[in-house]
Amino acid sequence: MANLSGLNPQQREAARTLRGPLLILAGAGTGKTRTLTHRVAHMVDSGIAAQNILAVTFTTKAAREMAQRVAALLPPAVKASGQSPTVCTFHSLCVRILRRHIERLGYKRNFVIYSESEQLGVVRKVLSAISGHGAKVDPREVHSLLSRIKNGGSPELLSGAGNAAELAAHIRRRYDGALHAANAVDFDDLLVLVLRLFREFPESLGECRERHQWVMVDEYQDTNRAQFELVQALASQHRNLCAVGDDDQSIYGWRGAEVSNLLDFEQYFPEARVIKLEENYRSTTAILEAANAVIARNVRRRPKRLWSRNGTGEKLRLQAFENEEVEARSVVEEIEFRRQARRIPWRDHAILFRTNIQSRPLETALRAADVRYRLVGGQSFFDRREIRDFLAYLKTFLNPNDDASLLRIANVPARGLSEATMERLLAASQAANCSVWRAMEQEAVRAQLPARAGAAVEEFVKLIVRHRAALEAPSVSLSQWSKAWLAEIDYAGELRRGEKEAEAGENRVRNLHDLVATLDGPDSAPMDRLLKFLEDLTLDADRESEEEPAGDVVTLITTHSCKGLEYPHVFVVGVEEGLLPHSRAKAEGTLDEERRLFYVALTRAMKTLVVTHCLSRKKYGQLTPCHPSSFLQDLPAQWVEDWNQKGAEPVAVDAGKGLFAAMRESLG
């Protein structure tokens, strides 16, 4: 029997409410997963067949964790029977349904799901077939467009494409036809085809309803229109739907999530029971009171107030810095002080930020201080495509015989050096036992290539030679030198063209400008400075594999990726107008979602919380003024310690003795 005695009264009520529609409003850190797993176990104990229970989550990781925890609570006889609740993601559920019913839609049951690269291959074939109609568009742009259309979006104007809606419809017919002919579907098709199946074949819907008589949906506030329709189709008849979520943590509107699905739950299920989980097991009272005050400013929300038995705790600390470099160094110094003086390990700290571009100064400061870290929800600044391309160019200018670097950038941006051309050059270099660069320099080798390819190789050689020669000038500025060759190859244009969203392209360009601005350093020969710059980056990367245990690392994480996670000590950095809330929030009417994002960040903290902002920040290498986020005005004064006003205060004698004792111990 499932033991519900360990649940609090509200959790127990939710676990015992088994029939009819139920909305569980589960605030941050209120034991949602524990409640759900005990509810499933209690359903089985109450005589509901395990195979008739469906629990849907958003991520494979969450589904796996829930399935394991449910299995641990089920009676041995149920586990031995092989009948267990279905716990899976939306897309996994759709695959299961289609495997049983897709033949009715004209596919075979052994259909395959195409990867993104396979989908792009189909798009390229379609475009080549219609190229005679004057449609010259980027395959990735078309692929993105098709995904938006399948998810309910409208076609957007494609460069040089004429009537976008007409072209999109034409391409989609051909694209879907090509996939169908290969008995394949793409990721977006999984939901689309199930909804079509339910519309066209009511008997298939009836069978699915019979199989899934009790439906639970986790993170209900994150459902999009198609997912909402799928849930409605399954649950609208038996009405045993348990929706679990928190409108205050709805932060994925930009990818189609509709918080109204949760807010308007009773419109579709008027008889629904609503249970709030408000006791927080994660944070201190100070942290929760600050978070409650922030989110209370959102007008359209389900009222709830998190509270805790964890004690008052330290006040939230608010701090301003001159710029992002000072901010990053100060945060890292604070983490190191805590580690050495208070014996708080790196793994207990997390640094949260709104956009990926904010990670560069943080990563640089952490590397400089030899602090191990991991980046979650984003790519390391030094692993991003534009940075790796830039570094490969630098290495090629320093040493053109570096085949790996040269091969990476030879056709970036595209300059007529196709894969076939590079393969022939590689073969020539192997035959002559020399580098690819040496093969490129030889007129005899170029003569063996098609005329256009040979001319492209010659132009590339001239480009490298010309800009290598510029490095010989003793007073050359590396940043100005870099800007010159980047402009000549129009690499910024390459980055903008390669992104589906204009903002993503601009972010890549900005990443590049910010790195270029750091190239100039102490007086020395340009070649030596460049060599030192690349050596430092290489040594920093090597240091990441040294002796510290893999688990003891500081976490760098975006505010969008931190939902569901918790850390003892949290720094939320860059809380400024234009970052959090984002600059486009007012124009797009998403200010409420930005406030929810700040709320999610605050509620990750268990023991201490530091919120920082900058007075200025570099944009494209130039310092520009910054203003504190308007959200900071919502923080209640009685729970906040403003370190900009506080100034230096003497440390109590006993506290000072304790710190020095801890430092002596850490130093052996």
Side-chain angles (χ1 to χ4, degrees), residues 574-589:
V575 185
E576 300 146 23
E577 287 295 305
L579 282 178
L580 187 61
H582 198 276
S583 55
R584 62 171 181 262
K586 288 183 180 177
E588 296 179 356

mmCIF file with all atom_site columns, all heavy atoms in Angstrom, residues 574-589:
data_model
loop_
_atom_site.group_PDB
_atom_site.id
_atom_site.type_symbol
_atom_site.label_atom_id
_atom_site.label_alt_id
_atom_site.label_comp_id
_atom_site.label_asym_id
_atom_site.label_entity_id
_atom_site.label_seq_id
_atom_site.pdbx_PDB_ins_code
_atom_site.Cartn_x
_atom_site.Cartn_y
_atom_site.Cartn_z
_atom_site.occupancy
_atom_site.B_iso_or_equiv
_atom_site.pdbx_formal_charge
_atom_site.auth_seq_id
_atom_site.auth_comp_id
_atom_site.auth_asym_id
_atom_site.auth_atom_id
_atom_site.pdbx_PDB_model_num
ATOM 1   N N   . GLY A 1 574 ? 23.523 40.350 -14.015 1.00 0.00 ? 574 GLY A N   1
ATOM 2   C CA  . GLY A 1 574 ? 23.031 41.089 -15.179 1.00 0.00 ? 574 GLY A CA  1
ATOM 3   C C   . GLY A 1 574 ? 21.548 41.389 -15.136 1.00 0.00 ? 574 GLY A C   1
ATOM 4   O O   . GLY A 1 574 ? 20.869 41.357 -16.164 1.00 0.00 ? 574 GLY A O   1
ATOM 5   N N   . VAL A 1 575 ? 21.018 41.715 -13.931 1.00 0.00 ? 575 VAL A N   1
ATOM 6   C CA  . VAL A 1 575 ? 19.582 42.007 -13.817 1.00 0.00 ? 575 VAL A CA  1
ATOM 7   C C   . VAL A 1 575 ? 19.372 43.480 -14.167 1.00 0.00 ? 575 VAL A C   1
ATOM 8   O O   . VAL A 1 575 ? 19.289 44.351 -13.307 1.00 0.00 ? 575 VAL A O   1
ATOM 9   C CB  . VAL A 1 575 ? 19.062 41.664 -12.405 1.00 0.00 ? 575 VAL A CB  1
ATOM 10  C CG1 . VAL A 1 575 ? 17.547 41.849 -12.338 1.00 0.00 ? 575 VAL A CG1 1
ATOM 11  C CG2 . VAL A 1 575 ? 19.421 40.224 -12.051 1.00 0.00 ? 575 VAL A CG2 1
ATOM 12  N N   . GLU A 1 576 ? 19.335 43.723 -15.480 1.00 0.00 ? 576 GLU A N   1
ATOM 13  C CA  . GLU A 1 576 ? 19.288 45.086 -16.020 1.00 0.00 ? 576 GLU A CA  1
ATOM 14  C C   . GLU A 1 576 ? 18.180 45.219 -17.060 1.00 0.00 ? 576 GLU A C   1
ATOM 15  O O   . GLU A 1 576 ? 17.779 44.222 -17.666 1.00 0.00 ? 576 GLU A O   1
ATOM 16  C CB  . GLU A 1 576 ? 20.638 45.424 -16.683 1.00 0.00 ? 576 GLU A CB  1
ATOM 17  C CG  . GLU A 1 576 ? 21.824 45.352 -15.738 1.00 0.00 ? 576 GLU A CG  1
ATOM 18  C CD  . GLU A 1 576 ? 23.089 44.873 -16.444 1.00 0.00 ? 576 GLU A CD  1
ATOM 19  O OE1 . GLU A 1 576 ? 23.165 45.017 -17.684 1.00 0.00 ? 576 GLU A OE1 1
ATOM 20  O OE2 . GLU A 1 576 ? 23.985 44.340 -15.771 1.00 0.00 ? 576 GLU A OE2 1
ATOM 21  N N   . GLU A 1 577 ? 17.713 46.437 -17.245 1.00 0.00 ? 577 GLU A N   1
ATOM 22  C CA  . GLU A 1 577 ? 16.765 46.702 -18.330 1.00 0.00 ? 577 GLU A CA  1
ATOM 23  C C   . GLU A 1 577 ? 17.435 46.339 -19.659 1.00 0.00 ? 577 GLU A C   1
ATOM 24  O O   . GLU A 1 577 ? 18.568 46.727 -19.911 1.00 0.00 ? 577 GLU A O   1
ATOM 25  C CB  . GLU A 1 577 ? 16.363 48.172 -18.337 1.00 0.00 ? 577 GLU A CB  1
ATOM 26  C CG  . GLU A 1 577 ? 15.433 48.567 -17.203 1.00 0.00 ? 577 GLU A CG  1
ATOM 27  C CD  . GLU A 1 577 ? 14.076 47.895 -17.294 1.00 0.00 ? 577 GLU A CD  1
ATOM 28  O OE1 . GLU A 1 577 ? 13.417 48.025 -18.341 1.00 0.00 ? 577 GLU A OE1 1
ATOM 29  O OE2 . GLU A 1 577 ? 13.687 47.232 -16.312 1.00 0.00 ? 577 GLU A OE2 1
ATOM 30  N N   . GLY A 1 578 ? 16.718 45.602 -20.483 1.00 0.00 ? 578 GLY A N   1
ATOM 31  C CA  . GLY A 1 578 ? 17.291 45.167 -21.759 1.00 0.00 ? 578 GLY A CA  1
ATOM 32  C C   . GLY A 1 578 ? 17.792 43.738 -21.708 1.00 0.00 ? 578 GLY A C   1
ATOM 33  O O   . GLY A 1 578 ? 17.896 43.078 -22.740 1.00 0.00 ? 578 GLY A O   1
ATOM 34  N N   . LEU A 1 579 ? 18.126 43.269 -20.508 1.00 0.00 ? 579 LEU A N   1
ATOM 35  C CA  . LEU A 1 579 ? 18.516 41.871 -20.340 1.00 0.00 ? 579 LEU A CA  1
ATOM 36  C C   . LEU A 1 579 ? 17.418 41.100 -19.619 1.00 0.00 ? 579 LEU A C   1
ATOM 37  O O   . LEU A 1 579 ? 16.932 40.084 -20.085 1.00 0.00 ? 579 LEU A O   1
ATOM 38  C CB  . LEU A 1 579 ? 19.831 41.767 -19.563 1.00 0.00 ? 579 LEU A CB  1
ATOM 39  C CG  . LEU A 1 579 ? 21.115 42.060 -20.346 1.00 0.00 ? 579 LEU A CG  1
ATOM 40  C CD1 . LEU A 1 579 ? 22.337 41.979 -19.442 1.00 0.00 ? 579 LEU A CD1 1
ATOM 41  C CD2 . LEU A 1 579 ? 21.272 41.084 -21.513 1.00 0.00 ? 579 LEU A CD2 1
ATOM 42  N N   . LEU A 1 580 ? 17.024 41.586 -18.439 1.00 0.00 ? 580 LEU A N   1
ATOM 43  C CA  . LEU A 1 580 ? 15.942 40.982 -17.663 1.00 0.00 ? 580 LEU A CA  1
ATOM 44  C C   . LEU A 1 580 ? 15.166 42.103 -16.976 1.00 0.00 ? 580 LEU A C   1
ATOM 45  O O   . LEU A 1 580 ? 15.593 42.568 -15.917 1.00 0.00 ? 580 LEU A O   1
ATOM 46  C CB  . LEU A 1 580 ? 16.505 40.001 -16.626 1.00 0.00 ? 580 LEU A CB  1
ATOM 47  C CG  . LEU A 1 580 ? 15.489 39.171 -15.844 1.00 0.00 ? 580 LEU A CG  1
ATOM 48  C CD1 . LEU A 1 580 ? 14.689 38.295 -16.803 1.00 0.00 ? 580 LEU A CD1 1
ATOM 49  C CD2 . LEU A 1 580 ? 16.182 38.281 -14.818 1.00 0.00 ? 580 LEU A CD2 1
ATOM 50  N N   . PRO A 1 581 ? 14.078 42.613 -17.585 1.00 0.00 ? 581 PRO A N   1
ATOM 51  C CA  . PRO A 1 581 ? 13.407 42.086 -18.770 1.00 0.00 ? 581 PRO A CA  1
ATOM 52  C C   . PRO A 1 581 ? 14.188 42.346 -20.055 1.00 0.00 ? 581 PRO A C   1
ATOM 53  O O   . PRO A 1 581 ? 14.919 43.339 -20.157 1.00 0.00 ? 581 PRO A O   1
ATOM 54  C CB  . PRO A 1 581 ? 12.083 42.842 -18.795 1.00 0.00 ? 581 PRO A CB  1
ATOM 55  C CG  . PRO A 1 581 ? 12.392 44.142 -18.134 1.00 0.00 ? 581 PRO A CG  1
ATOM 56  C CD  . PRO A 1 581 ? 13.387 43.804 -17.049 1.00 0.00 ? 581 PRO A CD  1
ATOM 57  N N   . HIS A 1 582 ? 13.999 41.449 -21.024 1.00 0.00 ? 582 HIS A N   1
ATOM 58  C CA  . HIS A 1 582 ? 14.675 41.563 -22.307 1.00 0.00 ? 582 HIS A CA  1
ATOM 59  C C   . HIS A 1 582 ? 14.182 42.796 -23.060 1.00 0.00 ? 582 HIS A C   1
ATOM 60  O O   . HIS A 1 582 ? 13.047 43.242 -22.871 1.00 0.00 ? 582 HIS A O   1
ATOM 61  C CB  . HIS A 1 582 ? 14.416 40.305 -23.135 1.00 0.00 ? 582 HIS A CB  1
ATOM 62  C CG  . HIS A 1 582 ? 15.382 40.121 -24.264 1.00 0.00 ? 582 HIS A CG  1
ATOM 63  N ND1 . HIS A 1 582 ? 15.213 40.737 -25.477 1.00 0.00 ? 582 HIS A ND1 1
ATOM 64  C CD2 . HIS A 1 582 ? 16.530 39.413 -24.350 1.00 0.00 ? 582 HIS A CD2 1
ATOM 65  C CE1 . HIS A 1 582 ? 16.217 40.411 -26.279 1.00 0.00 ? 582 HIS A CE1 1
ATOM 66  N NE2 . HIS A 1 582 ? 17.028 39.602 -25.618 1.00 0.00 ? 582 HIS A NE2 1
ATOM 67  N N   . SER A 1 583 ? 15.030 43.323 -23.916 1.00 0.00 ? 583 SER A N   1
ATOM 68  C CA  . SER A 1 583 ? 14.725 44.569 -24.630 1.00 0.00 ? 583 SER A CA  1
ATOM 69  C C   . SER A 1 583 ? 13.460 44.472 -25.486 1.00 0.00 ? 583 SER A C   1
ATOM 70  O O   . SER A 1 583 ? 12.782 45.466 -25.716 1.00 0.00 ? 583 SER A O   1
ATOM 71  C CB  . SER A 1 583 ? 15.923 44.966 -25.507 1.00 0.00 ? 583 SER A CB  1
ATOM 72  O OG  . SER A 1 583 ? 16.272 43.901 -26.368 1.00 0.00 ? 583 SER A OG  1
ATOM 73  N N   . ARG A 1 584 ? 13.126 43.279 -25.952 1.00 0.00 ? 584 ARG A N   1
ATOM 74  C CA  . ARG A 1 584 ? 11.951 43.163 -26.831 1.00 0.00 ? 584 ARG A CA  1
ATOM 75  C C   . ARG A 1 584 ? 10.660 42.861 -26.074 1.00 0.00 ? 584 ARG A C   1
ATOM 76  O O   . ARG A 1 584 ? 9.599  42.727 -26.688 1.00 0.00 ? 584 ARG A O   1
ATOM 77  C CB  . ARG A 1 584 ? 12.204 42.087 -27.884 1.00 0.00 ? 584 ARG A CB  1
ATOM 78  C CG  . ARG A 1 584 ? 12.413 40.701 -27.326 1.00 0.00 ? 584 ARG A CG  1
ATOM 79  C CD  . ARG A 1 584 ? 12.439 39.650 -28.419 1.00 0.00 ? 584 ARG A CD  1
ATOM 80  N NE  . ARG A 1 584 ? 12.619 38.328 -27.835 1.00 0.00 ? 584 ARG A NE  1
ATOM 81  C CZ  . ARG A 1 584 ? 13.778 37.703 -27.758 1.00 0.00 ? 584 ARG A CZ  1
ATOM 82  N NH1 . ARG A 1 584 ? 14.868 38.268 -28.230 1.00 0.00 ? 584 ARG A NH1 1
ATOM 83  N NH2 . ARG A 1 584 ? 13.865 36.495 -27.216 1.00 0.00 ? 584 ARG A NH2 1
ATOM 84  N N   . ALA A 1 585 ? 10.741 42.745 -24.743 1.00 0.00 ? 585 ALA A N   1
ATOM 85  C CA  . ALA A 1 585 ? 9.583  42.304 -23.963 1.00 0.00 ? 585 ALA A CA  1
ATOM 86  C C   . ALA A 1 585 ? 8.392  43.257 -24.079 1.00 0.00 ? 585 ALA A C   1
ATOM 87  O O   . ALA A 1 585 ? 7.253  42.821 -24.238 1.00 0.00 ? 585 ALA A O   1
ATOM 88  C CB  . ALA A 1 585 ? 9.972  42.122 -22.497 1.00 0.00 ? 585 ALA A CB  1
ATOM 89  N N   . LYS A 1 586 ? 8.640  44.561 -23.983 1.00 0.00 ? 586 LYS A N   1
ATOM 90  C CA  . LYS A 1 586 ? 7.530  45.516 -24.034 1.00 0.00 ? 586 LYS A CA  1
ATOM 91  C C   . LYS A 1 586 ? 6.851  45.501 -25.385 1.00 0.00 ? 586 LYS A C   1
ATOM 92  O O   . LYS A 1 586 ? 5.620  45.493 -25.478 1.00 0.00 ? 586 LYS A O   1
ATOM 93  C CB  . LYS A 1 586 ? 8.033  46.920 -23.695 1.00 0.00 ? 586 LYS A CB  1
ATOM 94  C CG  . LYS A 1 586 ? 8.376  47.096 -22.217 1.00 0.00 ? 586 LYS A CG  1
ATOM 95  C CD  . LYS A 1 586 ? 8.793  48.519 -21.904 1.00 0.00 ? 586 LYS A CD  1
ATOM 96  C CE  . LYS A 1 586 ? 9.139  48.683 -20.430 1.00 0.00 ? 586 LYS A CE  1
ATOM 97  N NZ  . LYS A 1 586 ? 9.611  50.045 -20.105 1.00 0.00 ? 586 LYS A NZ  1
ATOM 98  N N   . ALA A 1 587 ? 7.668  45.486 -26.451 1.00 0.00 ? 587 ALA A N   1
ATOM 99  C CA  . ALA A 1 587 ? 7.101  45.511 -27.797 1.00 0.00 ? 587 ALA A CA  1
ATOM 100 C C   . ALA A 1 587 ? 6.283  44.249 -28.073 1.00 0.00 ? 587 ALA A C   1
ATOM 101 O O   . ALA A 1 587 ? 5.256  44.299 -28.756 1.00 0.00 ? 587 ALA A O   1
ATOM 102 C CB  . ALA A 1 587 ? 8.218  45.646 -28.832 1.00 0.00 ? 587 ALA A CB  1
ATOM 103 N N   . GLU A 1 588 ? 6.726  43.102 -27.536 1.00 0.00 ? 588 GLU A N   1
ATOM 104 C CA  . GLU A 1 588 ? 6.049  41.836 -27.808 1.00 0.00 ? 588 GLU A CA  1
ATOM 105 C C   . GLU A 1 588 ? 4.996  41.497 -26.757 1.00 0.00 ? 588 GLU A C   1
ATOM 106 O O   . GLU A 1 588 ? 4.343  40.458 -26.852 1.00 0.00 ? 588 GLU A O   1
ATOM 107 C CB  . GLU A 1 588 ? 7.089  40.709 -27.898 1.00 0.00 ? 588 GLU A CB  1
ATOM 108 C CG  . GLU A 1 588 ? 8.067  40.885 -29.061 1.00 0.00 ? 588 GLU A CG  1
ATOM 109 C CD  . GLU A 1 588 ? 9.095  39.778 -29.130 1.00 0.00 ? 588 GLU A CD  1
ATOM 110 O OE1 . GLU A 1 588 ? 9.096  38.901 -28.222 1.00 0.00 ? 588 GLU A OE1 1
ATOM 111 O OE2 . GLU A 1 588 ? 9.906  39.772 -30.075 1.00 0.00 ? 588 GLU A OE2 1
ATOM 112 N N   . GLY A 1 589 ? 4.854  42.352 -25.734 1.00 0.00 ? 589 GLY A N   1
ATOM 113 C CA  . GLY A 1 589 ? 3.855  42.109 -24.705 1.00 0.00 ? 589 GLY A CA  1
ATOM 114 C C   . GLY A 1 589 ? 4.173  40.919 -23.821 1.00 0.00 ? 589 GLY A C   1
ATOM 115 O O   . GLY A 1 589 ? 3.259  40.224 -23.364 1.00 0.00 ? 589 GLY A O   1
#
